[in-house]
Amino acid sequence: MDSPFIVFWELTRACMLACKHCRAKAMRKRHPDELSTEECFEVIEQLSKFKPRPLLVITGGDPLMRDDVVDIISRATHEGFRTAIAFSGTEKATLDRLIELKRAGISRIAVSIDGSSVEKHDSFRGVEGTFEMSMRVIENARNAGIPFQINTTVTRENIGDLPEIARLCINLGAVMWDVFFIVPTGRARVEMMPTPQQFEDILCWLYDLSKVAGLNVKSSAATHLRRIELMRDRGEMPEVGELYRYLVSKLENFPTGEGRKIVAGGHGRSLSTDGIRRAVSVTDGRGMFFISHTGDVYPSGFLPIVAGNVRERKISEIYQKSEIFVNLRDPDRLEGKCGVCEYRAICGGSRARAYAIHGNYLAEEPCCIYTPKILRG
């Protein structure tokens, strides 16, 4: 891929929250070396050279901590970008602010919900009142006419609560549920990760959920959902365990909807209703990259290897020629069982998690139990 499908851009690491899993180790004050407004405009100009233009996701920290965020989004819209924004559920996301974002051309917002109740969510987020604030943000998004998705970080702490979070997504009218499987970087710790079998169980359940409830589901940092989608569509059932059976039991009396033909993007299709599409085979450094608040470019926000800085090199040069991006774009360079897996072109595992656990971004995905056909006795 000479052009990325999606770019994540961390405008700031400033945030009022103190989440247990925070990749950015966010702080309450903005960094003095953040890209200036004019430098942000230059980033947009450089990104516009990619054909087609990538989907642009503005993130943080909390990008609403920057006074110029509306100006930056307006410039991106003017340059032809479809732009989404993910921010913290705080009092900064007022109705007036969201109306400004709508007028600036924002296509979707993402709100994080990591527990189905006040107690569960607020404990995870580290600040009392964040669940209610997130609910207000969603209500403000509705009133402003902005589609919203709900992002959930999956840890050992909240896996039993996933059915109720899914029910909340449906009841609130989310256009997508983005289920992010934690990567131990930043504040996140290894012991917060579910086991490899729990990964498989949850991903298989997400497939079932989409068929029962019609909820548009996406996994992040768990690209093996694409493999599971293709297997299940063929009538093959992956190896599941106790957690899967528990989660499936919670689908009884679940709100029903039109069954989805696609969950994970394994077929390269999308069911998004607001024009933001998904693509097959995109993963860390392959069809995507991340720009930090100070202009460093990474394969993803969870793979902390700097490939270059936008203040020093052209973004297209960094993405197309840096060694780490060249390596990550070639699934045949993967090592261990990922390197011989028949699904490596559409999955490839989380390169960020491989780096966090093995210290090698090309190593096999540590949270996948699947045995490739070539390795079976």
Side-chain angles (χ1 to χ4, degrees):
M1 287 185 179
D2 290 334
S3 293
F5 174 80
I6 187 169
V7 174
F8 295 90
W9 187 4
E10 171 193 73
L11 285 187
T12 182
R13 284 195 174 178
C15 183
M16 300 303 292
L17 304 184
C19 304
K20 293 179 180 179
H21 66 293
C22 184
R23 164 204 59 78
K25 296 183 180 178
M27 298 172 288
R28 289 179 177 264
K29 292 185 178 180
R30 291 175 56 185
H31 194 284
D33 199 32
E34 282 179 2
L35 296 177
S36 68
T37 304
E38 288 304 318
E39 286 176 317
C40 288
F41 290 166
E42 173 59 25
V43 165
I44 292 169
E45 172 65 22
Q46 288 194 38
L47 291 175
S48 70
K49 304 302 182 184
F50 287 116
K51 305 298 181 186
R53 286 173 173 77
L55 170 64
L56 188 59
V57 179
I58 304 296
T59 183
D62 183 356
L64 294 184
M65 296 287 282
R66 285 191 61 139
D67 294 335
D68 59 356
V69 64
V70 172
D71 295 329
I72 292 168
I73 292 170
S74 293
R75 178 62 65 93
T77 300
H78 182 265
E79 293 297 328
F81 287 92
R82 184 172 289 276
T83 308
I85 187 169
F87 44 70
S88 306
T90 72
E91 65 275 4
K92 285 190 170 292
T94 63
L95 176 58
D96 288 344
R97 196 66 163 153
L98 292 188
I99 289 173
E100 288 181 358
L101 293 175
K102 173 73 171 179
R103 289 172 177 165
I106 206 71
S107 296
R108 183 191 294 179
I109 69 167
V111 179
S112 293
I113 300 290
D114 298 304
S116 63
S117 67
V118 171
E119 296 77 12
K120 293 174 181 177
H121 178 83
D122 288 4
S123 172
F124 193 90
R125 288 280 152 180
V127 175
E128 187 176 342
T130 54
F131 183 83
E132 293 301 330
M133 283 190 287
S134 294
M135 292 299 105
R136 285 200 295 272
V137 171
I138 289 172
E139 182 62 25
N140 288 340
R142 281 205 204 99
N143 291 334
I146 305 175
F148 67 92
Q149 72 179 50
I150 290 177
N151 295 349
T152 298
T153 300
V154 178
T155 70
R156 293 192 188 189
E157 182 178 323
N158 68 352
I159 53 179
D161 194 34
L162 291 175
E164 293 309 310
I165 298 174
R167 190 186 299 270
L168 190 62
C169 291
I170 295 167
N171 292 339
L172 291 172
V175 297
M176 180 181 287
W177 188 26
D178 190 338
V179 186
F180 171 77
F181 287 72
I182 196 163
V183 175
T185 188
R187 290 196 189 110
R189 304 183 306 278
V190 172
E191 55 266 29
M192 298 172 78
M193 289 196 311
T195 67
Q197 182 62 65
Q198 289 172 334
F199 265 66
E200 196 82 351
D201 288 358
I202 296 166
L203 293 171
C204 279
W205 172 75
L206 290 175
Y207 180 94
D208 293 324
L209 171 67
S210 75
K211 300 301 183 183
V212 171
L215 182 61
N216 198 13
V217 181
K218 173 184 178 294
S219 66
S220 293
T223 49
H224 20 328
L225 180 53
R226 299 168 188 168
R227 163 182 59 81
I228 288 171
E229 180 194 3
L230 296 182
M231 292 176 69
R232 296 290 300 276
D233 280 359
R234 291 196 301 264
E236 299 176 31
M237 188 65 189
E239 182 182 340
V240 293
E242 181 180 347
L243 175 61
Y244 172 76
R245 289 184 284 274
Y246 166 79
L247 293 172
V248 167
S249 73
K250 295 298 181 180
L251 292 181
E252 296 180 11
N253 302 318
F254 215 80
T256 57
E258 182 182 351
R260 299 295 188 180
K261 297 179 181 178
I262 174 100
V263 179
H267 298 288
R269 301 193 301 263
S270 174
L271 290 178
S272 176
T273 58
D274 60 355
I276 293 182
R277 58 196 177 95
R278 299 208 300 274
V280 68
S281 80
V282 173
T283 185
D284 305 324
R286 192 169 79 191
M288 66 174 278
F289 63 84
F290 176 92
I291 304 173
S292 82
H293 61 303
T294 57
D296 287 332
V297 177
Y298 302 84
S300 81
F302 303 90
L303 179 48
I305 299 177
V306 179
N309 189 285
V310 301
R311 288 169 167 152
E312 300 166 0
R313 295 174 64 192
K314 294 292 185 183
I315 297 174
S316 59
E317 179 185 338
I318 296 172
Y319 178 68
Q320 293 167 358
K321 298 182 180 180
S322 294
E323 180 183 9
I324 187 170
F325 281 107
V326 172
N327 288 340
L328 290 171
R329 278 197 295 273
D330 184 359
D332 291 334
R333 293 177 186 259
L334 298 178
E335 300 172 9
K337 67 179 184 180
C338 284
V340 296
C341 182
E342 62 270 27
Y343 295 102
R344 64 187 179 278
I346 65 163
C347 173
S350 169
R351 300 298 94 220
R353 189 176 295 106
Y355 181 76
I357 300 300
H358 301 301
N360 174 8
Y361 62 81
L362 294 175
E364 65 184 45
E365 160 69 71
C367 289
C368 178
I369 66 169
Y370 181 73
T371 301
K373 289 181 179 179
I374 197 171
L375 298 180
R376 297 175 199 169

